[in-house]
Structure formats: C-alpha cells, structure tokens
Amino acid sequence: MSAATPTASTPDVLSPSGTLNSLEPSAGTTATDRLVVEYLRSRGHKAGEELLAEALSGDDKGKGSALTTSADTLVQKLSVFSEKASQPGENAFKNSASIIQELASLGSSSNIQNLIASIGPVGAEEILSLDPTDKQEGFRELESWVDGSLDMYRPEFRPILFPIFCHFYLDLVQFGFKDAAQEFFATFSSSLESMHSATLHRLSTLRLPSHVQSDELAQRFRNEKYTIRMSRSGFGLLVGWLTDGVGGEATGAGEGFSGEKGKRGRAAVMRVVNNHLRFDVAAVSTTAMSPTAWEESTGLLSSLIPQAGGSAASLNNPQAFNTSKGELKLGPAPLSEELRAETEKMLREQAMLDRDHGAQYDVQLMRPTPQAGVISPTTADLLPHPPMFKTMDVKREVEKVRDARKRIRLEPSALSSVDVNTPQGAAARQRALPSICAYTLHDIPEGVPCCTFSQDTSLMAAGFEESYIRLWSLKGESLNGLKSDFQLSNIRDSASLNKVRERGGPVTRKLIGHSGPVYSLSFDPLNGSAAPPKYLLSASADATARLWSLDTMTNVVAYRGHQNPVWDVNWSPMGIYFATASRDRTARLWSTDRTSTLRVYAGHLSDVDCVRFHPNSLYLATGSSDWTARLWDVQKGQSVRVFIGHQGIVSTLAFSPDGRYLATAGEDLAINLWDLGSGRRVKKMTGHTASIYSLAFSGESSLLVSGGADWTVKCWDVKSAGGLPEKPRTNGMVNGSGGRDHAKDHTQDNIETYAALVRLLSVLADFKRRTDLVASFPTKRTPIINVHFTPRNLCMVAGPALPLGPR
C-alpha cells in the first residue's frame, strides 16, 4: 500500500510585521523598485511582496524591519534563474554582481518581468528566506537521527538520506550557492559513496544552475518522486521525528530542532519529503521484510517501469507490472515431428553400429518429461523459420542427445553437508565442481574487450581495441579459407569445394573490417556441437554489426541502424536471427538475410549494455546502465518483465538452460538470480571484489559460474537458499568464544581486543561458509572476460594477462 507524505509545514522564517495594505513603497522608491513590487503582487507572491515593500518603506524610527532586502538584491538573487532565449539551459547573465547594470542597459521593464517569471516553481518567498546553512544543519540532524535509531530500523531509514542529499545539493547549485554546495558535498557524500558512487560523481560535476537545468539525471530527481519502502512502524517513527524533531537521535548528536536554526533545517527536510519523496508503506513488520526488498522498491521507479496496458497512470511497483503481464511460455521450443522421427531413426542406427548398450536410453531423451508448472510454446509461437529441415539439423539434434547422456552431472549441493577437508569432502568436490580450462592471452597492450568460444569448442575468437578480430583453432588445426581466385560455377559438391580450399594455413587468422574497437562476438549456433560454426557476428564502436564467413574468412554483411556504439551481439538459438545492444538506449532484432532492423526494443533510460536470447527464442533479455534488466517479447517488441534491484550498471546476463531463471550481474559486485515466471528475485549472491564480466549456467541449471575483474572464477550453487548459515550456539557459547570465567583472566583492554579479534574471525569464517558460494579459483593476473560451459559441462574461461604492476 502507499501512504501520503506528511503534511508540509510552513518554513519558520523571519516575517515582517503589518499587513500588505499598510506597507507601500516610499516616495523615494525608483521606478524599477515599483515594477518589481507590482509584479510580485500580480503573481501572487504575497510574502515576497510584503518583505520587499517593508524594505522599501525605509522604516528608521526604531520599529525595525525583520528583513532588509532591496530590489537590487532581489534581482541579483533571481538572476541565476534567467536563461538565454536562443540557448535554453544556459544562464543569460554571467555575473550576478553586474546584473543591475546589464538590465539598465536593456532599458525595458519587460526584461525584469521575464526575469522574475523565470523563477518557476521555486517562488520569491523561498529565495528571499533561503539560507544555505539550513540544509547543512537539516541533513546533519537527519543523519544523526538515522545513525542513532535502533538496529532493526536503520536499514529502512538509511535509504532516505540519499534522495535528500541529492535534492539539497541540487537546490544549492540552482540557487547560486556554489561554494556552499561544494562544502555540503564534501561534508556528507562520504557516507553515501559506497552505494551511490556513480551518481555522486555525476552530481559533483554540476556546478552552475544551467548545469542542473540541462542534466537529465538532475531533471529526473526534480520531476519524479523518489520511492522509499518502509514498514508501518518505521514510517510512523519518521513522521514523528519530522513533526516533533525529537526521538531516536544519537547521544550528543546536537540540539535537535529545538533552536531557531534547527527549525529551519527541519523545514528544509520537510519540503523535500513533501515534494519529492513517495513512501511505499508495507503492512508487515520490519523484521518480516526481506533485506533485498529495500533495493527492489527504492529509487526513481516511475520512469523505469513501463506503463502496463497503455495506462496513463505510472506504476511505482515493479512486481505490479510483472503480474499484469500474465504467465510466460518458458518451456523448450518444440521440434517438428518429421525432425524428431528422423533423429530417433539415426540414434537407433548409430546404437547398432557402435554396439553401445547405453545408447538405448538416447531415444528416451528425445521426448523429455515436461516440467511441472512450466508452459511450453507451440510451433505457431516461434519466430518464422524454414519449414524443411536439413541434414545438419538432424546431426545437431543427435549430438545434443548424446551430449546430454554423457554430460558430467554437477551437484553443488553435495558440499553443503560435508567437511571439505575430509576424504568425503574431496569426493563431494569432484561431484560438485566443474573442470575449468583457462585460456590466457599474452602481450596484448591494446586491450581485449571481448572473447568467445564456439559450441563445439573448436574455435576461440577475441575482439581487440585496434578494430580487428583474431580467430584461434583450439584443436591445433589449420584455419584454411577458400582461394581468392575460385569460380563459384566450378563448385558442385564437397569434393570440388575442398579443391579450392587453401592448404597448410595457420592455426590463427586475423579478420579486418571494423573501424572501431570490437566489443562483442558471437558464433553461429546452428550446427551446435556437431560441427564447427559457419559464421561469426561482431559488434563494434563504429555503430555496426558485421557477419563474417568462416569459410572465406571475409566480411559478408555490415548491418547499420544504430547511431551509437554497439556494445553486445547475440545469436538466437534458431541461428537465423540475432540481437544487438547499443549506446542509443535500444536493442534491435535482425535477420541474417536482411540489412534492415526487424524490431526495436526501446524503454531503457540509458545504454543497453548486454543482450541474450531465451533458450526457446521467444524472449529477449537486456541489461542497462540504468541499473535494470528487462525481458521482452521478441515478436511483439513489448516488455513483459522488469527487474529492479541492482545498484550499478548491469553488464552481463545468462539464462538457465531450463529457461526458468535469469542471472544478472555488473558493477555493483552482486549477482541477482531472478525467477522469470513471477519476476521476483530469488536471491542475491555477493563475493566478487571487482566488476563482473561474464556468467554461465551448467547444463543442469544447478551451478552458476562467474568471472570478473578481480582475477577470479567463482562457482555458485543455484538451488541453495543463499546467505550465511546461522551461527551455532552450544552450552552458552557462540562461535567458540568462552564465557564469564574466561573473561576474568583479562583486563578490560584485553577483553575488548579479544572480542574484536573474535568478530573479525567470525566475519572471515562467515565469508568462507556462504551457502551459495561453492568455490573460488584465482588467477595470477588475468581478469576473466568470458566463461562458457560446453554441452558436457566442461567450463572454459578466457582473459588477457595483465602486465606487472599495482592491482
């Protein structure tokens, strides 16, 4: 449910005595002064008119004016809001000190009226009463109250600090208090740096009012309400503190709101709460809410969530949008009966020739039992594809069945109940962990943005900053292309094709064609593990995706449509379609036989950094720099799921082979596992210490492998509950620490030192005992840019070796 924010309280500013009728400018008032007063009166700025009129009345008989503000001072304060008519977003006046002379040279009262009219929603009253120290005091007291609150409430109170910090900083910049804004940022940003480093860095670059007016992120803060999820009891405590100014602050934190400056600070906090925050109040208690619920339901959500069913009302709950889209068809793509029958026939023939007793089970694998609760698509639901199958299609399906039977079964849950240091633990590790084959690229000073493996593990390709692609044969075979002088009319069969193929070629080839760094590569999946791929796709900073023929080792097609660098490219499992992700905030669907875009998937608020097809090709997942991931209906081009919860750029995605889960990761050092059916987050897995570059599921969808910039490969148990196990408590002992008698032998200082050591050891032990982190494999100096599982569960990883130097 949602609750309205507390009622706004009027800022407690110094007010002049008397009424408007009794206060008129004195006879010596200039024409400019009278114009300002008349305009304030016509616009309804009553308080500002009273203050200015009293200041102009020149009461020097001892009665005193509570605030002495001349028209010149008012105009100087308002000058920061004036924009150039020809260039909106830029200040019309460079120096507020000379604004009076500039206006005098214009000689038109309409300029003054236009200047005051440009105030917009800020209002003259707020500008006249503005004191930059109010925001300093208000945020300091709010932070003290949050830090001094009970441990059970602190996780839900902490998120309120970030939006208030942002609005205070933007207000100071827009009101022209550049020095006060920098001081405020330097004083309070450190406590928010760990969670919001990217946003804070961007805000720190905004120094002038024109910057605030033209910056997209600043305008999102201005125009959208920042959603904060709270329990009912926590929301009541916050309202009580905002209205009364007492309760919960740490001892010695300050005088609260008892002083005059404190009251003005409370008014500044209250204005942000009323105008820019929205509270999603949950009916459950604080202890009953999941720790990850704060991440999923906090932030500028209204623009991140698509409008359901074309409704004009924006949604602020991602789960409400996901539920409105109904059930998804996540089952495997169907096979035509003709292809299935031909595959079963070939499996029987091979079983008889090989005299393989285990091959009798291969035919059964062709008709798997459908998963409970999972809807499978029909042939009519699939993307258009050729109705007739080829010989290679049969070979691919045969090899897929044989791989499934010979696959090494990984059971990461086997490690949860044994001690890894015992013989039983060693045997469990063999069942739980995959064999990992690592490929390291040496002497690459220009950098390697991407790397990928073919499904049959015969080829590896890497894209380089210097705009070229390099292929390697992992089997040591020659990569022979076709001769440049062959005639197509002379090729009639495979024998004649082999005659025009080069002889004795190298085991590595260089593909040149792009004019910018190559950011992503993807091998043609049509042959599966039955044969080497025929084509390679690449994406580059030159805003193109290119199709390369691995027969001729040349570029066949350049796909143009994006207006910015293309960050990622991915083949559909069908092998006919592919998708690209770009800096232009869109993902696009392409077909290999057309050069124009088939579908455009638009909705992300920033770069689309990664794209992946669902195993049945009905859906497409995208990850973005707006910290969200989305699931799209490929044919309709509509978003059917939105995943909110990351605290940084989502740079990599992976679907589980069973089609039920999506794993996302990126620069916030966390891996989120999402259930596609409900759209809910299953769990959050942490352990990496630098950006995560790649994810891959094992064939049974039970193990997830990740690689990143921290030079490690980590294995995660998908089926476990996640988090840390409960600490055992036996005979009054916790974590093996002693009781009262043990403490008597130490002085107070030794006791505190011993307790700190126990806490440190406990944290280290907890990290090692994480129930979802199965194993971590470090490299010497190699960031892992790609992880890949073969059909038989061999894990292959690759990355460039870094030169010696600081990490």
Side-chain angles (χ1 to χ4, degrees):
M1 62 172 290
S2 301
T5 54
T7 304
S9 62
T10 303
D12 191 0
V13 297
L14 298 177
S15 302
S17 58
T19 61
L20 176 63
N21 295 332
S22 63
L23 290 175
E24 292 292 343
S26 61
T29 304
T30 64
T32 302
D33 296 338
R34 291 182 179 275
L35 284 173
V36 173
V37 173
E38 291 174 2
Y39 188 78
L40 288 174
R41 180 181 301 172
S42 64
R43 297 293 295 223
H45 300 303
K46 181 178 178 181
E49 180 191 356
E50 292 177 355
L51 292 174
L52 183 57
E54 184 173 353
L56 297 175
S57 63
D59 186 2
D60 54 358
K61 296 182 179 180
K63 295 181 180 180
S65 173
L67 180 65
T68 303
T69 304
S70 66
D72 291 351
T73 304
L74 174 62
V75 173
Q76 288 177 354
K77 289 187 176 183
L78 300 185
S79 64
V80 297
F81 301 99
S82 180
E83 299 182 3
K84 291 182 179 179
S86 58
Q87 296 177 333
E90 293 191 12
N91 286 6
F93 306 99
K94 299 298 183 182
N95 187 0
S96 61
S98 61
I99 182 65
I100 303 301
Q101 289 78 3
E102 293 186 48
L103 285 176
S105 63
L106 296 176
S108 175
S109 60
S110 62
N111 290 313
I112 302 177
Q113 295 181 1
N114 294 334
L115 176 61
I116 300 177
S118 65
I119 299 173
V122 178
E125 177 184 356
E126 185 173 0
I127 296 177
L128 287 172
S129 61
L130 187 62
D131 184 352
T133 60
D134 294 347
K135 302 184 186 302
Q136 295 261 4
E137 185 68 20
F139 193 84
R140 180 180 295 106
E141 295 294 341
L142 177 63
E143 190 175 42
S144 299
W145 177 76
V146 170
D147 293 338
S149 60
L150 296 177
D151 292 344
M152 62 184 295
Y153 290 111
R154 196 175 300 129
E156 58 180 300
F157 289 159
R158 286 292 302 176
I160 199 176
L161 294 176
F162 176 66
I164 292 180
F165 173 89
C166 294
H167 280 286
F168 278 2
Y169 178 78
L170 293 175
D171 285 345
L172 290 173
V173 173
Q174 184 151 357
F175 293 159
F177 296 106
K178 180 179 178 181
D179 295 337
Q182 293 179 356
E183 180 182 357
F184 177 82
F185 188 93
T187 304
F188 299 108
S189 63
S190 58
S191 61
L192 306 171
E193 184 71 26
S194 59
M195 292 292 292
H196 307 281
S197 58
T199 304
L200 292 178
H201 174 71
R202 182 166 176 177
L203 291 179
S204 66
T205 62
L206 308 179
R207 301 296 180 87
L208 297 174
S210 60
H211 296 168
V212 176
Q213 295 161 6
S214 59
D215 185 76
E216 180 182 2
L217 179 62
Q219 290 307 306
R220 283 190 63 198
F221 272 101
R222 286 291 194 233
N223 300 326
E224 299 179 36
K225 288 203 171 185
Y226 193 97
T227 303
I228 295 179
R229 187 174 178 85
M230 279 193 176
S231 64
R232 187 178 298 276
S233 56
F235 180 71
L237 291 174
L238 176 63
V239 172
W241 183 79
L242 285 172
T243 54
D244 298 335
V246 294
E249 59 268 13
T251 304
E255 299 179 357
F257 286 145
S258 58
E260 193 67 31
K261 182 181 292 187
K263 290 182 180 180
R264 293 199 302 269
R266 177 180 64 172
V269 174
M270 184 73 78
R271 279 195 294 271
V272 174
V273 169
N274 283 327
N275 299 327
H276 301 290
L277 300 188
R278 175 188 175 274
F279 292 90
D280 185 6
V281 180
V284 299
S285 63
T286 301
T287 55
M289 297 182 66
S290 169
T292 59
W294 315 119
E295 298 177 356
E296 297 180 44
S297 305
T298 298
L300 298 170
L301 302 181
S302 59
S303 58
L304 296 175
I305 303 174
Q307 296 181 5
S311 174
S314 59
L315 296 175
N316 294 284
N317 185 353
Q319 195 54 42
F321 170 80
N322 294 339
T323 304
S324 68
K325 290 300 180 178
E327 294 183 327
L328 303 180
K329 298 180 179 180
L330 303 176
L335 283 178
S336 65
E337 287 301 322
E338 294 82 1
L339 178 57
R340 189 189 302 273
E342 190 67 25
T343 303
E344 292 177 353
K345 178 182 177 181
M346 183 172 287
L347 287 170
R348 293 190 183 96
E349 293 176 353
Q350 288 188 0
M352 294 177 62
L353 293 175
D354 298 340
R355 296 182 179 180
D356 186 358
H357 299 290
Q360 59 181 325
Y361 302 105
D362 287 350
V363 177
Q364 299 178 8
L365 293 175
M366 282 298 299
R367 301 179 183 271
T369 304
Q371 302 180 28
V374 177
I375 303 175
S376 296
T378 63
T379 304
D381 295 326
L382 300 179
L383 292 168
H385 59 283
M388 302 299 293
F389 61 87
K390 302 178 181 179
T391 303
M392 183 51 66
D393 296 330
V394 179
K395 292 182 180 180
R396 180 190 66 235
E397 295 302 324
V398 169
E399 196 64 27
K400 187 184 298 183
V401 173
R402 295 171 66 89
D403 288 337
R405 181 167 64 87
K406 296 182 179 181
R407 180 183 299 147
I408 300 173
R409 306 292 173 179
L410 300 178
E411 302 175 5
S413 58
L415 289 175
S416 60
S417 58
V418 299
D419 185 357
V420 295
N421 297 320
T422 62
Q424 295 82 0
R429 284 180 64 88
Q430 294 181 357
R431 299 201 314 271
L433 301 179
S435 297
I436 299 178
C437 180
Y439 291 86
T440 305
L441 305 178
H442 291 274
D443 301 326
I444 313 294
E446 66 270 21
V448 187
C450 62
C451 182
T452 189
F453 299 94
S454 63
Q455 289 195 15
D456 69 332
T457 67
S458 63
L459 296 174
M460 183 179 78
F464 293 84
E465 291 280 356
E466 293 189 347
S467 310
Y468 67 89
I469 303 166
R470 185 169 288 279
L471 287 173
W472 286 272
S473 171
L474 300 182
K475 296 182 178 180
E477 300 175 350
S478 299
L479 297 178
N480 298 322
L482 301 180
K483 297 178 181 179
S484 59
D485 58 348
F486 78 94
Q487 298 294 327
L488 187 61
S489 59
N490 297 332
I491 300 178
R492 298 182 178 86
D493 51 21
S494 60
S496 59
L497 180 64
N498 291 330
K499 291 181 181 180
V500 298
R501 191 174 294 277
E502 297 174 344
R503 303 294 180 184
V507 296
T508 179
R509 296 293 292 261
K510 199 173 185 179
L511 305 180
I512 299 176
H514 281 292
S515 59
V518 180
Y519 291 130
S520 181
L521 297 167
S522 183
F523 280 108
D524 168 24
L526 193 59
N527 295 339
S529 59
K534 295 293 184 181
Y535 298 98
L536 174 70
L537 279 170
S538 61
S540 170
D542 61 10
T544 67
R546 292 180 181 263
L547 182 68
W548 305 82
S549 171
L550 300 183
D551 285 329
T552 62
M553 298 295 173
T554 58
N555 179 217
V556 180
V557 187
Y559 300 94
R560 306 179 189 276
H562 289 290
Q563 303 301 317
N564 295 99
V566 183
W567 301 130
D568 197 15
V569 63
N570 183 242
W571 279 98
S572 163
M574 299 173 61
I576 303 172
Y577 303 93
F578 66 93
T580 55
S582 172
R583 186 183 176 183
D584 62 10
R585 307 183 183 183
T586 67
R588 297 181 182 232
L589 179 69
W590 308 79
S591 175
T592 52
D593 60 347
R594 298 184 181 182
T595 58
S596 58
T597 302
L598 300 180
R599 294 286 188 278
V600 177
Y601 307 98
H604 282 292
L605 303 183
S606 189
D607 299 27
V608 182
D609 297 293
C610 50
V611 61
R612 292 291 182 274
F613 273 94
H614 188 272
N616 64 16
S617 298
L618 261 65
Y619 304 103
L620 186 73
T622 55
S624 172
S625 296
D626 64 8
W627 301 5
T628 69
R630 293 193 183 200
L631 189 70
W632 306 82
D633 186 301
V634 171
Q635 296 203 60
K636 296 180 181 179
Q638 298 176 353
S639 177
V640 294
R641 293 288 185 271
V642 59
F643 307 105
I644 298 176
H646 277 285
Q647 301 301 309
I649 295 173
V650 181
S651 58
T652 182
L653 302 163
F655 280 105
S656 61
D658 60 11
R660 299 177 61 186
Y661 301 103
L662 174 68
T664 60
E667 296 189 1
D668 62 348
L669 316 185
I671 302 172
N672 286 335
L673 185 67
W674 307 91
D675 178 72
L676 295 177
S678 63
R680 297 182 181 275
R681 177 161 53 179
V682 178
K683 62 178 177 177
K684 178 180 179 180
M685 297 176 285
T686 57
H688 279 282
T689 58
S691 298
I692 302 170
Y693 291 150
S694 184
L695 298 170
F697 279 92
S698 63
E700 308 86 2
S701 305
S702 60
L703 187 75
L704 179 69
V705 173
S706 61
D710 56 0
W711 309 345
T712 64
V713 178
K714 296 186 183 295
C715 301
W716 308 86
D717 186 359
V718 174
K719 305 297 183 181
S720 71
L724 300 175
E726 293 184 0
K727 298 179 182 179
R729 181 182 292 270
T730 306
N731 297 329
M733 300 179 66
V734 179
N735 292 333
S737 57
R740 186 178 306 170
D741 295 337
H742 180 73
K744 291 180 180 179
D745 299 333
H746 300 276
T747 63
Q748 185 65 27
D749 292 340
N750 290 337
I751 292 176
E752 294 177 357
T753 303
Y754 179 75
L757 180 60
V758 169
R759 287 194 296 270
L760 177 60
L761 294 176
S762 176
V763 170
L764 295 176
D766 285 343
F767 180 76
K768 294 180 179 180
R769 295 200 313 269
R770 286 195 65 90
T771 58
D772 48 13
L773 179 57
V774 180
S776 181
F777 300 94
T779 64
K780 289 184 178 179
R781 296 186 62 84
T782 303
I784 305 301
I785 61 176
N786 185 51
V787 295
H788 170 81
F789 267 105
T790 69
R792 300 188 181 183
N793 271 350
L794 170 67
C795 183
M796 305 174 71
V797 303
L802 299 181
L804 295 177
R807 184 169 180 171

